[in-house]
Amino acid sequence: MNRFDYIRPASVAEAVAAAAGPGAAFLAAGTNLLDMMKVGAARPDRLIDITRLPGLDRIEALPDGGYRVGAMVRNADLARDPGFAAAFPAVAEALLSGASPQLRNMATVGGNLMQHTRCAYFGDTDAACNRRHPGSGCDAVGGENRTHAILGWSPSCIATHPSDFCVPLAALDAVVEIAGPEGTRELPLEAFHLLPGATPERETALAPGELVTALLLPPAATGFRAHTRYLKLRERTSFAFALVSAAAALQIRDGRIRAARLALGGVAAKPWRARAAEALLEGASPDRATFERAAEAALSEAAASGDNAFKIALAKRVAARALLRAAAGTPARMPALPGSVFATEPGEFAHD
Ligand SMILES: Cc1cc2nc3c(=O)[nH]c(=O)nc-3n(C[C@H](O)[C@H](O)[C@H](O)COP(=O)(O)OP(=O)(O)OC[C@H]3O[C@@H](n4cnc5c(N)ncnc54)[C@H](O)[C@@H]3O)c2cc1C
Ligand code: SF4
């Protein structure tokens, strides 16, 4: 690990000021950043500890029916917040399917949005990686890439974004609140994570020194709570990142789908909003044939990047099954996927 300065600012303004200039990194729970620093994949020379900033740990129900969730709220606390879980059950389901109970008790909302790719070459400082060292090449192309991207990738980088949480957030039009040197701004989550193109080192639309302060869920997102699910497929039952996942949300009236939201995880460098599938779903009958057609549409632009062609077929099945589960109705008690065979949490949580 390299030597670094440690700064603990007392306000958001101080944190942003301390982050000016190259070499700074915000430290939330450190469950991702410290791992990256230990292997040398991240080498900040200034760590800005944001854990004590006032007001960033609040979950607020807004008068219009939406929610504001501070960047330092713990993933486990958000999943277990009764009001939040009732309003956005698939978001709670996604949170509880991520990592292990111990990690969820530490990891923060802002850190989950900002976590780095789990591409093994990114964490291996002997490997060529355009994301870590622009212009050095990409050892994943032609290497071990069965878990890599099938949508939106470029020859520069075929990594995926690993978050579960961000997938239903993308489906529900969540917005990221950001503080920076010029003041505060809001950015739709869909525009927050970037596809690699020729600049894979730019993972998000954050400008240097900008801090994520909160996540906003719009009131319209609560309109899907009766028919919504998150489905994650991974290589083992114990905690692991998604091979492929899907968040589905429907509004069904008089036997027809009136509104539909579908997003995929594990397929691209950002949570992937499947708008072509949504267009096909709206007005259609909520049955298996419709959902299979929608899943085809969602993956129509998919391309294998090497050993991962199987993920295209897998993603279609996961998308169709998530839609089927959503159509069946959000369970009164949402089953939590087993985080680990050693999970200490009960297998279910109430969301109503
Ligand atoms: C073994 C293991 C398994 C995991 N499995 C899963 C999984 O299945 N699904 C899943 O979704 N995640 C999983 N994770 C990832 C975990 O959720 C992240 O490590 C965690 O969310 C990061 O949060 P943190 O608060 O620890 O962030 P940190 O590690 O402190 O920060 C991560 C990055 O975000 C930046 N950052 C943090 N907060 C802010 C902010 N407010 N504004 C701007 N930048 C910020 C930091 O500078 C750093 O670059 C796993 C992690 C581990 C170690
Ligand atoms: S896929 Fe992206 S993160 Fe992985 S080695 Fe290539 S450039 Fe680096």
Side-chain angles (χ1 to χ4, degrees):
M1 203 187 261
N2 60 311
R3 294 175 71 85
F4 54 85
D5 291 334
Y6 171 83
I7 300 166
R8 195 199 288 158
S11 68
V12 166
E14 265 184 39
V16 168
F26 294 116
L27 175 68
T31 63
N32 182 223
L33 180 61
L34 295 186
D35 278 359
M36 291 297 140
M37 288 172 68
K38 283 182 204 158
V39 296
R43 302 178 63 82
D45 52 32
R46 202 157 66 261
L47 271 195
I48 301 159
D49 182 341
I50 58 172
T51 53
R52 317 267 172 103
L53 293 184
L56 264 61
D57 58 353
R58 279 193 220 126
I59 304 171
E60 295 167 77
L62 302 175
D64 65 4
Y67 263 79
R68 183 177 183 279
V69 182
M72 285 306 299
V73 169
R74 309 281 175 191
N75 288 358
D77 292 339
L78 186 59
R80 299 284 179 199
D81 181 88
F84 184 88
F88 313 108
V91 180
E93 192 175 29
L95 282 166
L96 291 178
S97 77
S100 63
Q102 293 87 345
L103 280 159
R104 294 194 291 271
N105 285 339
M106 292 281 294
T108 64
V109 158
N112 194 284
L113 261 60
M114 290 292 297
Q115 63 177 297
H116 299 284
T117 180
R118 309 309 278 210
C119 170
Y121 300 101
F122 178 83
D124 174 359
T125 50
D126 292 331
C129 172
N130 287 324
R131 195 171 277 252
R132 192 167 24 75
H133 274 307
S136 64
C138 170
D139 274 352
V141 173
E144 286 284 328
N145 55 26
R146 64 186 296 281
T147 63
H148 285 67
I150 51 175
L151 283 162
W153 54 274
S154 77
S156 296
C157 179
I158 55 175
T160 57
H161 191 264
S163 171
D164 291 296
F165 178 43
C166 292
V167 182
L169 292 181
L172 295 176
D173 293 321
V175 170
V176 185
E177 185 190 277
I178 298 163
E182 313 298 330
T184 305
R185 68 183 176 118
E186 292 178 2
L187 189 67
L189 183 85
E190 212 180 345
F192 182 79
H193 298 105
L194 302 180
L195 292 177
T199 54
E201 70 281 6
R202 282 209 67 209
E203 298 181 19
T204 72
L206 280 191
E210 283 191 318
L211 173 75
V212 174
T213 47
L215 184 70
L216 305 168
L217 270 300
T222 61
F224 294 94
R225 64 186 159 195
H227 292 281
T228 185
R229 294 304 296 268
Y230 180 70
L231 177 58
K232 170 177 181 177
L233 283 199
R234 49 190 162 181
E235 285 185 313
R236 54 171 198 222
T237 314
S238 171
F239 65 88
F241 291 90
L243 264 180
V244 172
S245 69
L250 302 171
Q251 289 175 20
I252 301 174
R253 252 193 340 271
D254 304 326
R256 294 272 148 195
I257 300 168
R258 302 298 166 184
R261 299 281 184 275
L262 182 66
L264 303 176
V267 296
K270 58 187 287 183
W272 190 265
R273 181 81 179 262
R275 289 193 184 271
E278 291 174 5
L280 193 146
L281 287 164
E282 286 178 5
S285 158
D287 55 41
R288 182 183 289 271
T290 298
F291 296 147
E292 285 175 356
R293 274 202 309 280
E296 286 291 333
L299 275 304
S300 61
E301 290 172 11
S305 58
D307 299 332
N308 62 1
F310 77 101
K311 282 179 68 172
I312 300 175
L314 197 63
K316 288 180 190 170
R317 291 196 198 122
V318 170
R321 191 171 300 176
L323 286 163
L324 266 172
R325 288 189 179 182
T330 309
R333 289 182 69 78
M334 184 77 91
L337 296 182
S340 145
V341 288
F342 304 112
T344 53
E345 291 169 310
E348 295 185 321
F349 68 92
H351 68 88
D352 55 356

